[in-house]
């Protein structure tokens, strides 16, 4: 008997033993290098590299064992059984793969488990390989130091895995290699020391044909395993290098493509993504088949010194279905040893969309998305230039919303915005495809109509807009509805420049609003004179009170039951030294439109209170208060001051308001009326029956008197419905215990009819015309209705 370990020094080829040791060291180095590469990779690539590492490590350990066994030069010739030899190699590879998978846990427990698995793998491979020996001897095994060697090996392999995974430097790598080599040698020589070959003459002698065959096998195994190790190591480094380069290229925001001989041979992931394509859709294709330059010239056939804008051809679905904007720079580089072109592509889509959005916002109204004043002026100038050359006519329609301020004040700005959006939608539906509707501010809109037969087309468009407003903006059903007034000017008759056309349209609009809202007016030369006259009236009216051009006249009111005069209504008159006697129908609308009515109204209130304070006790004075005056919160203080300064008892002052006052900022107006009522002032609702929701107004505030609108009185003799309305209002007043006044009585028939219907107070030219303050004093001594009443 003899021990194999004792034969190593004498009966083993020392060169082959050194070769086995070298294979072990190089194999373990390759194993841990590839293992580190696997740890750095993504999940999909990690599995591949773990398999490569397992094969490299397993075959390295197997080759170490196999070469060391072939180094034996004893008297007993040995051979190896092919199947078990191959099986031992498979065991080594599979065992190392299992150990690597276990070590992925990254904890101390998983590393210990991996160390146990690797140790058992080496042991299983060794004993399977030993069992494959064929010799004229019997193989016996003695456990000896194997358990101790196994425990030490587990500790060394665990340490090796820990160093490899947690120490990324060279020291950690070499520590792992050293520990693993020591573990393999410890296991191998411990197992070999426990192995005994007992010569047995009865067994077939294995013939030795010489060293050449055995040495050739040794080198063949060494070379094959060495190539596997070398290939795995090189592949690991190349993969790391190429993957890092590709990852670096993919990390950039630019798309990169390498072009050789007119076709793309390499591209990063960003490049096909910009074109809405897949990776395989761009390789082997020409850039000109994927993108088109803004200048129409080939991207690669012409040398460019600067980047050029380009757009992708619709070869695939673009990102998010949006149009893409690209910028392409072309450079010449050396790639794979040959001159190539590299395309650097930047995605300008988001930037260009943002620029287009900013440009759109700069030329469109933010709320309605209609063209704004700037864009409208551009199109108008262009249209005038074209029309001037072709002799065509065009129209400009200026639009202003009626009652919009009331809606905005009552229902709030948010609802006002919704109304403007609704109006913009109406205009879009009404205009033609070549027309340009625009919002130029507030509730002002303007439309350019070009390329059509004018003024017929403008007539039709204005009529279409007005009709649509009547259908969709009916104030009788929708309190948020608004109307529209339209002014129209025609090129070249009404102006040859943009300013002239707009001014003419504004003049026509002003005329439409002044003569009756909700209509359309075409510009005429007479409007210039009318506008100048209105502006003159406005200018002179501002100074009328300071120049003592204003005065008050007083029209009496009579009690229908006994004919006595109960009071007077103060009416304003304006006598201008140059304009003469200006009608209230002329200057009152101008005063309300410009806000001058606030100053005039305060003057009339103070003058009426001062005059009425000198009348006999019991006579009241009625003063009209404009809806504009209710927009100012100091109205209550003004009334209180006028009463205090004049000494007039509050109950002798009647403030007449129209129902339009209650439309604008209704809650505020009602609160002000409550405060006026608290002063003791009488509140009268004037022109009853013509405003919005008359019955609702009576319910919202307890008025002291109702005045029937004179339009119903004037129609009583000819219109049965007007007489029925008067009768209904009188009946309503009686049911609410409110005096009802019939104003505007001018004929005996009207007088008789209202008396028959049970009217309580009368007023009109038939009964008494407005008189000056001095004449009122004379009439106050009579205080009775004229004698014709008795004959009526």
């Amino acid at each position: 008997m003899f021990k194999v370990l004792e034969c190593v020094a004498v009966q083993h080829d020392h060169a082959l033993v050194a070769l086995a040791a070298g294979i072990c060291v190089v194999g373990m180095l390759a194993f841990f290098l590839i293992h580190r590469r696997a740890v750095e990779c993504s999940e999909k690539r990690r599995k591949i590299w773990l398999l490569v590492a397992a094969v490299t490590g397993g075959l390295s350990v197997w080759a170490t064992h196999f070469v060391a066994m072939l180094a034996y030069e004893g008297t007993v010739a040995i051979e190896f059984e092919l199947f078990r030899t191959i099986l031992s190699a498979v065991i080594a590879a599979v065992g190392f793969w299992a150990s690597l998978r276990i070590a992925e846990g990254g904890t101390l427990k998983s590393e210990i488990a991996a160390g146990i698995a690797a140790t058992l793998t080496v042991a299983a491979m060794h004993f399977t390989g030993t069992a494959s020996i064929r010799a004229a001897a019997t193989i016996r095994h003695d456990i000896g130091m194997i358990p101790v060697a196994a425990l030490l090996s587990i500790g060394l392999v665990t340490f090796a895995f820990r160093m490899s995974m947690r120490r990324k430097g060279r020291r950690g790598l070499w520590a792992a290699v050293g520990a693993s080599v020591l573990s393999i040698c410890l296991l191998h020589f411990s197992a070999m020391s426990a192995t005994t070959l007992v010569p047995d003459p009865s067994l077939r002698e294995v013939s030795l044909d010489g060293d050449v065959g055995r040495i050739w096998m040794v080198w063949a195994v060494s070379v094959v395993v060495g190539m596997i190790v070398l290939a795995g190591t090189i592949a690991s480094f190349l993969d790391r290098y190429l993957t890092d380069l590709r990852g670096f290229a993919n990390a950039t925001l630019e798309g990169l493509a390498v072009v050789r001989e007119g076709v793309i041979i390499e591209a990063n992931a960003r490049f096909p993504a910009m074109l809405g394509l897949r990776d395989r859709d761009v390789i082997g294709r020409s850039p000109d088949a994927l993108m088109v330059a803004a200048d129409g010239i080939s991207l690669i056939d012409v040398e460019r010194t600067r980047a050029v804008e380009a757009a992708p051809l619709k070869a695939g679905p673009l990102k998010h279905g949006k149009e893409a904007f690209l910028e392409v720079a072309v450079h010449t580089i050396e790639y794979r040893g040959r001159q190539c072109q590299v395309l650097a592509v930047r995605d300008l889509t988001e930037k260009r969309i943002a620029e287009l959005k900013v440009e759109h916002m700069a030329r469109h109204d933010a709320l309605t998305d209609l063209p704004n004043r700037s864009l409208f002026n551009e199109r108008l100038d262009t249209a005038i230039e074209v029309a001037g050359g072709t002799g065509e006519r065009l129209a400009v329609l200026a639009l202003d919303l009626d009652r919009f301020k009331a809606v905005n004040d009552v229902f709030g700005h948010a609802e006002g915005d919704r109304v403007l959006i609704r109006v913009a939608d109406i205009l879009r539906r009404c205009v033609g495809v070549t027309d340009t509707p625009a919002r130029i501010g507030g509730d002002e809109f303007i439309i350019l109509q070009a390329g059509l037969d004018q003024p017929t087309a403008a007539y039709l468009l204005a009529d279409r807009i007005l009709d649509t407003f009547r259908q969709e903006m009916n104030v009788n059903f929708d309190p948020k509805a608004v109307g529209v007034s339209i002014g129209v000017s025609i090129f070249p008759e009404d102006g040859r420049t943009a300013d002239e056309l707009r001014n003419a349209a504004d003049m026509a609009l002003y005329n439409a609003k002044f003569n009756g809202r909700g209509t359309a007016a075409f510009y005429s030369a007479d409007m210039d004179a009318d506008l100048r006259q209105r502006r003159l009236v406005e200018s002179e009216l501002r100074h009328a009170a300071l120049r003592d051009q204003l005065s008050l006249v007083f029209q009496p009111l009579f009690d229908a039951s006994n004919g006595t005069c109960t009071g007077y209504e103060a009416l304003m008159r304006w006598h201008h030294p140059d304009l003469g006697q200006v009608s209230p129908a002329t200057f009152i609308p101008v005063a309300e439109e410009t806000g001058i009515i606030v100053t005039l109204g305060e003057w009339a209130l103070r003058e009426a209170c001062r005059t009425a304070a000198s009348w006999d006790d019991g006579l009241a004075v009625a003063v009209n208060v404009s809806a504009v005056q209710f927009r100012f919160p100091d109205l209550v203080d003004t009334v209180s001051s006028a009463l205090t300064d004049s000494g007039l008892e509050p109950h002798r002052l009647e403030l007449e308001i129209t129902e339009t006052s209650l439309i604008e900022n209704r809650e505020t107006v009602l609160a002000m009326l409550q405060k006026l009522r608290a002063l003791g002032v009488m509140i009268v609702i004037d022109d009853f029956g013509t405003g919005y929701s008359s019955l609702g107004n009576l319910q919202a505030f307890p008025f002291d008197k109702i005045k029937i609108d004179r339009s119903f009185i004037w129609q009583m003799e000819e219109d049965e419905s007007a007489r029925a309305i008067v009768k209904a209002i009188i009946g309503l007043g009686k049911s609410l215990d409110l005096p009802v006044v019939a104003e505007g009585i001018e004929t005996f028939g009207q007088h008789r009819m209202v008396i028959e219907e049970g009217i309580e107070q009368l007023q009109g030219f038939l009964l008494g015309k407005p008189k000056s303050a001095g004449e009122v004093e004379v009439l106050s001594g009579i205080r009775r209705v004229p004698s014709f009443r008795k004959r009526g």
Side-chain angles (χ1 to χ4, degrees):
M1 284 188 347
F2 60 90
K3 292 186 177 296
V4 174
L5 184 59
E6 295 175 353
C7 298
V8 171
V10 179
Q11 297 177 332
H12 280 71
D13 187 334
H14 293 168
L16 292 182
V17 172
L19 177 61
I23 291 174
C24 186
V25 173
V26 173
M28 287 300 99
L29 178 61
F31 169 75
F32 284 111
L33 283 173
I34 298 174
H35 177 230
R36 284 190 170 188
R37 179 58 190 156
V39 172
E40 297 172 353
C41 289
S42 60
E43 179 65 26
K44 182 178 180 181
R45 296 167 61 83
R46 183 185 300 122
K47 293 180 180 180
I48 298 174
W49 284 113
L50 285 178
L51 180 60
V52 174
V55 172
T56 302
L59 291 183
S60 297
V61 174
W62 173 82
T64 300
H65 168 77
F66 187 76
V67 172
M69 294 296 292
L70 289 175
Y72 175 66
E73 295 179 337
T75 56
V76 179
I78 61 174
E79 292 181 351
F80 295 93
E81 182 187 351
L82 180 61
F83 174 75
R84 291 188 183 183
T85 300
I86 295 175
L87 179 60
S88 64
V90 173
I91 290 174
V94 173
F96 268 74
W97 180 83
S99 301
L100 292 176
R101 295 292 292 180
I102 294 172
E104 280 192 291
T107 63
L108 180 59
K109 290 183 179 181
S110 62
E111 291 167 353
I112 294 174
I116 295 173
T119 300
L120 294 176
T121 297
V122 175
M125 181 275 303
H126 177 84
F127 287 109
T128 303
T130 303
S132 68
I133 293 176
R134 292 292 177 263
T138 301
I139 301 175
R140 294 179 182 178
H141 298 285
D142 183 14
I143 294 179
M145 296 296 293
I146 291 179
V148 177
L151 291 175
L152 292 174
S153 178
I154 290 173
L156 289 170
V157 176
T158 300
F159 175 77
F161 276 124
R162 193 171 186 82
M163 289 296 101
S164 176
M165 298 183 69
R166 305 198 182 194
R167 296 288 183 89
K168 299 301 182 182
R170 292 183 179 181
R171 291 183 180 182
L173 176 64
W174 285 110
V177 172
S180 60
V181 170
L182 183 58
S183 170
I184 294 169
C185 292
L186 183 62
L187 279 176
H188 179 78
F189 288 112
S190 296
M192 291 301 295
S193 65
T195 303
T196 303
L197 294 178
V198 182
D200 187 352
S202 63
L203 297 178
R204 179 180 60 86
E205 182 73 19
V206 178
S207 63
L208 296 174
D209 296 330
D211 294 338
V212 177
R214 183 170 60 87
I215 295 301
W216 182 87
M217 290 180 62
V218 169
W219 285 108
V221 170
S222 301
V223 170
V224 170
V225 173
M227 290 178 64
I228 293 174
V229 171
L230 183 61
T233 305
I234 293 174
S236 174
F237 279 104
L238 287 178
D239 180 73
R240 179 194 298 272
Y241 177 74
L242 293 177
T243 301
D244 290 348
L245 283 181
R246 189 168 186 85
F248 182 75
N250 288 336
T252 180
L253 295 177
E254 294 184 343
L256 301 175
V258 180
V259 181
R260 187 171 68 195
E261 296 179 357
V263 297
I264 297 173
I265 62 172
E266 188 67 68
N268 67 348
R270 182 72 174 150
F271 181 77
M274 287 182 176
L275 304 177
L277 301 172
R278 296 166 296 183
D279 293 349
R280 64 173 180 267
D281 294 330
V282 300
I283 303 299
R285 299 184 65 180
S286 169
D288 293 330
L290 302 175
M291 298 176 290
V292 57
D295 55 13
I297 303 175
S298 171
L299 290 169
I300 56 175
D301 292 343
V302 177
E303 184 176 351
R304 299 180 183 274
T305 58
R306 61 177 59 188
V308 62
E309 289 194 10
L313 295 174
K314 298 188 182 300
L318 296 181
K319 186 177 181 181
H320 306 308
K322 297 178 180 178
E323 183 179 2
F325 300 90
L326 307 175
E327 183 182 58
V328 183
V330 184
H331 305 283
T332 301
I333 64 170
E334 183 177 338
Y335 184 77
R336 296 179 185 176
R338 297 179 63 178
Q339 290 290 104
C340 297
Q341 294 169 302
V342 60
L343 274 63
V345 184
R346 293 176 58 195
D347 190 349
L348 303 179
T349 302
E350 297 299 329
K351 178 182 178 182
R352 184 57 55 84
I353 289 176
E355 291 175 349
L356 293 175
K357 185 176 181 181
V358 170
E359 182 181 352
H360 180 85
M361 292 175 64
R363 296 159 62 86
H364 289 76
D365 176 56
L367 178 64
T368 63
D369 202 39
L370 289 176
N372 59 12
R373 185 189 299 271
S374 175
L375 180 56
F376 179 85
N377 288 341
E378 289 180 16
R379 294 185 179 179
L380 179 58
D381 290 337
T382 302
I384 291 175
E385 184 177 353
V386 173
T390 60
E392 294 180 354
R393 306 167 82 190
L394 56 88
V396 174
L397 290 80
L399 298 86
D400 188 76
L401 302 182
D402 304 327
R403 297 187 299 276
F404 175 74
K405 189 179 187 307
V407 172
N408 205 45
D409 291 342
V410 173
F411 298 102
H413 294 293
E415 189 60 41
D417 289 346
R418 281 190 283 272
V419 169
L420 292 174
I421 294 173
R422 189 176 170 189
V423 168
D425 179 64
I426 291 176
L427 296 183
R428 286 191 187 94
R429 288 186 280 118
C430 290
V431 300
V433 292
T434 60
D435 301 338
T436 301
R439 181 186 176 213
I440 57 176
D443 61 340
E444 299 178 43
F445 295 82
I446 194 166
I447 300 174
L448 168 63
Q449 191 179 52
L452 299 174
D453 183 23
Q454 299 296 352
T456 303
Y459 274 110
L460 295 175
L461 177 57
D463 185 64
R464 189 160 57 248
I465 293 173
L466 292 173
D467 185 60
T468 304
F469 267 82
R470 281 191 291 268
Q471 294 178 17
E472 301 184 17
M473 290 280 193
N474 193 330
V475 72
N476 294 321
F477 301 103
D478 183 5
K480 302 173 186 178
V482 297
V484 65
S485 298
I486 305 174
V488 186
S489 62
I490 305 296
F491 173 87
E493 292 91 331
D494 303 333
R496 291 186 172 274
T497 67
D499 289 339
E500 291 176 353
L501 283 174
R502 286 194 302 269
N503 290 337
D506 288 340
M507 223 174 284
L509 173 62
Y510 187 87
N511 190 69
K513 295 180 74 70
F514 191 82
N515 294 329
R517 299 171 184 266
T519 60
F522 279 70
Y523 173 80
S524 66
D526 295 339
M527 290 182 181
D528 280 332
D530 294 340
L531 183 58
R532 284 194 294 271
Q533 180 66 21
R534 283 196 290 269
R535 287 175 177 169
L536 175 63
V537 169
E538 176 186 343
S539 176
E540 294 298 315
L541 189 59
R542 293 184 183 277
H543 311 288
L546 294 177
R547 295 170 179 172
D548 294 327
Q549 297 173 1
L550 299 178
S551 62
L552 291 181
V553 295
F554 300 89
Q555 187 173 18
L557 287 86
F558 296 95
D559 189 324
S561 62
N562 55 29
T564 59
C565 178
T566 60
Y568 296 87
E569 179 181 1
L571 303 172
M572 189 180 298
R573 295 293 184 264
W574 179 23
H575 182 78
H576 190 273
D578 297 325
L579 301 177
Q581 195 71 31
V582 183
S583 169
T586 299
F587 72 83
I588 292 298
V590 174
E592 289 187 326
E593 185 177 339
T594 59
I596 302 175
I597 193 66
V598 176
T599 303
L600 301 185
E602 181 176 354
W603 176 87
L605 176 66
R606 293 183 179 278
E607 186 68 16
C609 289
R610 185 188 62 78
T611 302
S614 64
W615 297 343
D616 294 340
D617 291 344
L619 285 179
V621 63
V623 180
N624 290 282
V625 180
S626 170
V628 179
Q629 292 175 265
F630 280 97
R631 299 174 186 170
F632 296 85
D634 62 347
L635 176 61
V636 177
D637 295 334
T638 300
V639 173
S640 177
S641 175
L643 291 172
T644 301
D645 295 344
S646 65
L648 182 69
E649 296 90 338
H651 70 275
R652 294 176 58 193
L653 175 62
E654 296 180 356
L655 297 180
E656 296 187 358
I657 68 170
T658 61
E659 293 181 275
T660 55
S661 302
L662 299 173
I663 296 178
E664 300 183 14
N665 207 357
R666 182 182 181 84
E667 298 300 325
T668 301
V669 172
L670 291 176
M672 293 175 68
L673 291 177
Q674 292 287 2
K675 293 179 181 179
L676 291 171
R677 191 80 174 281
L679 294 176
V681 174
M682 309 295 284
I683 308 298
V684 180
I685 184 167
D686 196 10
D687 299 335
F688 185 79
T690 60
Y692 170 72
S693 186
S694 299
L695 298 180
N697 291 330
L698 289 179
Q699 184 181 21
F701 184 82
F703 292 93
D704 297 297
K705 189 186 295 185
I706 300 174
K707 293 187 76 172
I708 304 175
D709 186 71
R710 66 186 65 217
S711 62
F712 298 118
I713 303 299
W714 291 342
Q715 298 176 44
M716 285 183 65
E717 293 179 279
E718 293 82 16
D719 191 345
E720 288 295 329
S721 61
R723 182 169 183 175
I725 291 174
V726 172
K727 182 177 180 180
I729 294 175
I730 295 173
L732 178 64
K734 290 181 179 180
S735 64
L736 296 176
D737 196 22
L738 292 177
V740 180
V741 181
E743 62 176 344
I745 297 177
E746 298 181 357
T747 67
F748 294 109
Q750 294 169 358
H751 178 266
R752 177 179 54 78
M753 287 181 179
V754 295
I755 291 295
E756 291 175 353
E757 298 298 343
I759 198 73
E760 295 171 279
Q761 291 187 8
L762 305 168
Q763 183 182 15
F765 283 0
L766 180 67
L767 308 176
K769 295 183 179 181
K771 304 293 183 181
S772 65
E775 293 174 317
V776 167
E777 293 177 355
V778 176
L779 185 58
S780 64
I782 302 174
R783 296 179 64 183
R784 282 194 176 275
V785 69
S787 59
F788 68 82
R789 177 181 178 276
K790 298 179 181 179
R791 298 194 304 268

